[in-house]
Every structure is written in structure tokens, then in C-alpha cells.
Amino acid sequence: MTSPQGEELRRATDRLTPVSATPRLDAELLLSHALGISREALLLGSHVVPKIFELLVARRLTDEPIAYITGTRDFWTVTLKVGPGVLIPRPDSETLMEAAVAHFGKAGPRRVLDLGTGSGALLLAALDHWPAATGVGTDASDAALSIARTNVEAIAPERAATCISGWHGTGETFDLIFCNPPYIATHEAVPRGVADWEPACALFAGEDGLDDYRVLATVLKPQLAPGGLACLEIGHQQREAVTALFEVQGFKVDCRPDLAGRDRCLIVSEHDPAK
């Protein structure tokens, strides 16, 4: 016999199927949030379903992202606060962390810069991974920086700072620079849950999606310490175009694919004149 909890999850899954590619997972995440417990605890027990669960499901039926409803998103090894006004961190962006770990190893970078930090995801993932590192997250959005500061206070208050800035950074140099800029062309279709809820300024970058890379290519070099590395997220069809922009500025450029095998992280460094 199905328990009341199981029946509510089944009903919610059926209702969410038209709006979600993962309706059962969504239902479980919403119910665990309503109960104030982990998803694992939900699945291991049987609980009285609170009335607020119905309200959460109704919100999801409008295509509101799960992360905005629950107010959190897991990224790498950290759990971040998120909300309207900030881009929701995606698993694809963890490719940038993978590239940085492959380069720096256990020693890690000394100083980290996250240009366009949003929620602070990449900066705080790096500082959690390398406890001796310090860093700065910049963003041009006050709304995003407000959320980033909340995450900094929760995860690395003594080692991270935030400031409002464009792609020119802070005027300092850093061993590791992260950047996940807007890279969607203005005419490109995106899912309704993204278009209706997430900030357009963090998504769209001109007619070809390259506007922000054009600026980054010209201002990155003064921000990169000798021997430093920059990890930039790209759209999976943008490798050649973005690589060309940085090579013109004298950079060496490599690329790392995401878990699906798609081009995702450009690895940018200065050419070694000794080689």
C-alpha cells in the first residue's frame, strides 16, 4: 500500500511532468524543503506532508526554478543561497573548477578572482577546495553581489571579498581567474524557466553571444599574475570564435570539455617565451 507521502509525491510528479524534465526529483526536492529535511532523509522515512507543499508545487508549475523556490543550490562542495537577480549555478560550470584543480593540484593558487561572480559559486568553490587561498568576486549587479556577500559570510568570511566592478577587475593581479560571462545570442531561444526568471544581463551577449568575450580579451592580461591561469566558460559552439579573440591578444588557449563531452572551459594563459 502506498503511504500518504508516496501518494503525494506521485501526484506531484504527475502534475510536474509537463513542465519539468525531472518531475520526480523536483517533487522530492520540494517536499524535503517543505519538511526542512534532506532529500535523503525524506526517502528513508515516512512523513506527514505539510500544506505548504501544495503551494511549492504550484510555484514550480509556473516554471519557477527549483533553486529559487528552495533558495539554495549545491555547487562543487558548497551549498549556496540563490534567488531572483542571480544566475543559478549549473553543473557545467564545475568544468572550470576541474580545469583549475588539474592545473594547480593540491598546492592551489594563492589569490583567486571571480569576474562576474553572481552567487559567488566559483570563487567559494575554489576557496573551499584550497583552504590557504584568498580571493575576490566582482559583479556589475547589486542584486547579485547582495547574494554573493551572503554566501561569502556563510562559507569564507575571512578569506573572500566582493566588490562592484566590470570586466576590468580590481586593479590587482591573481593566480587564478574565473569568469562565466553572458554568452547567449540575443535571438537564441532559451527555456521558459530561464527566460522568465533568471536575469537577462547574465545570459545574453549581443547578436552573436560574443560581446563580453571581446571586452574580456582586451582587459584580462593586466589582471593575470605571472604563471597564472584564467578559466572561462563558453557556449559549446563558441570554442573557435572565442579562442581567436584571445589568441589575437597573445594568449595561449586550451579547452576542456564538460561531462557531456561538449566544449565548455577555455583555459587561457600567457605564452611562455622560454618555450
Side-chain angles (χ1 to χ4, degrees):
M1 180 179 294
T2 304
S3 68
Q5 173 181 299
E7 181 60 24
E8 288 294 331
L9 283 171
R10 185 194 63 75
R11 289 180 55 230
T13 299
D14 289 344
R15 293 178 64 196
L16 292 170
T17 296
V19 300
S20 173
T22 56
R24 177 69 184 198
L25 175 61
D26 288 7
E28 291 171 359
L29 291 172
L30 292 174
L31 184 52
S32 60
H33 177 67
L35 290 165
I37 60 176
S38 69
R39 178 170 169 251
E40 290 74 18
L42 172 73
L43 297 177
L44 289 172
S46 181
H47 307 272
V48 176
V49 177
K51 291 182 179 180
I52 194 174
F53 178 57
E54 175 63 28
L55 299 177
L56 299 180
V57 172
R59 288 174 63 181
R60 184 68 183 112
L61 288 170
T62 69
D63 277 315
E64 183 176 358
I66 287 285
Y68 286 173
I69 298 173
T70 64
T72 62
R73 181 70 163 214
D74 290 338
F75 183 84
W76 198 250
T77 56
V78 296
T79 298
L80 302 156
K81 295 289 185 182
V82 295
V86 70
L87 191 71
I88 298 169
R90 267 78 167 172
D92 286 346
S93 298
E94 294 185 355
T95 309
L96 278 65
M97 267 300 297
E98 293 169 357
V101 170
H103 178 81
F104 288 99
K106 292 183 179 180
R110 185 178 64 88
R111 291 278 284 160
V112 181
L113 173 64
D114 187 7
L115 291 170
T117 194
S119 64
L122 287 162
L123 171 65
L124 293 170
L127 299 191
D128 193 60
H129 193 86
W130 292 297
T134 61
V136 180
T138 71
D139 209 291
S141 165
D142 286 323
L145 279 180
S146 177
I147 292 173
R149 291 185 184 116
T150 297
N151 287 321
V152 164
E153 285 300 311
I155 297 170
E158 303 300 323
R159 296 188 292 128
T162 61
C163 68
I164 194 157
S165 175
W167 300 130
H168 59 277
T170 68
E172 303 171 285
T173 61
F174 295 83
D175 308 298
L176 172 60
I177 298 177
F178 287 123
C179 186
N180 179 14
Y183 56 74
I184 301 174
T186 51
H187 66 273
E188 190 174 341
V190 296
R192 179 184 165 194
V194 176
D196 289 355
W197 292 94
E198 297 190 67
C201 63
L203 297 168
F204 299 103
E207 288 300 313
D208 59 2
L210 302 179
D211 282 2
D212 290 276
Y213 296 117
R214 292 188 178 96
V215 177
L216 282 161
T218 65
V219 301
L220 187 64
K221 191 167 291 187
Q223 304 180 64
L224 201 58
L229 193 76
C231 297
L232 314 177
E233 183 163 335
I234 59 170
H236 69 276
Q237 296 180 320
Q238 295 176 322
R239 177 179 180 175
E240 290 186 6
V242 181
T243 294
L245 293 173
F246 283 88
E247 286 183 339
V248 165
Q249 299 297 325
F251 287 106
K252 175 186 175 183
V253 182
D254 294 309
C255 187
R256 185 183 183 97
D258 59 24
L259 289 175
R262 300 168 297 189
D263 292 336
R264 186 61 61 192
C265 173
L266 278 197
I267 304 166
V268 178
S269 58
E270 290 197 74
H271 278 290
D272 186 346
K275 295 183 178 180

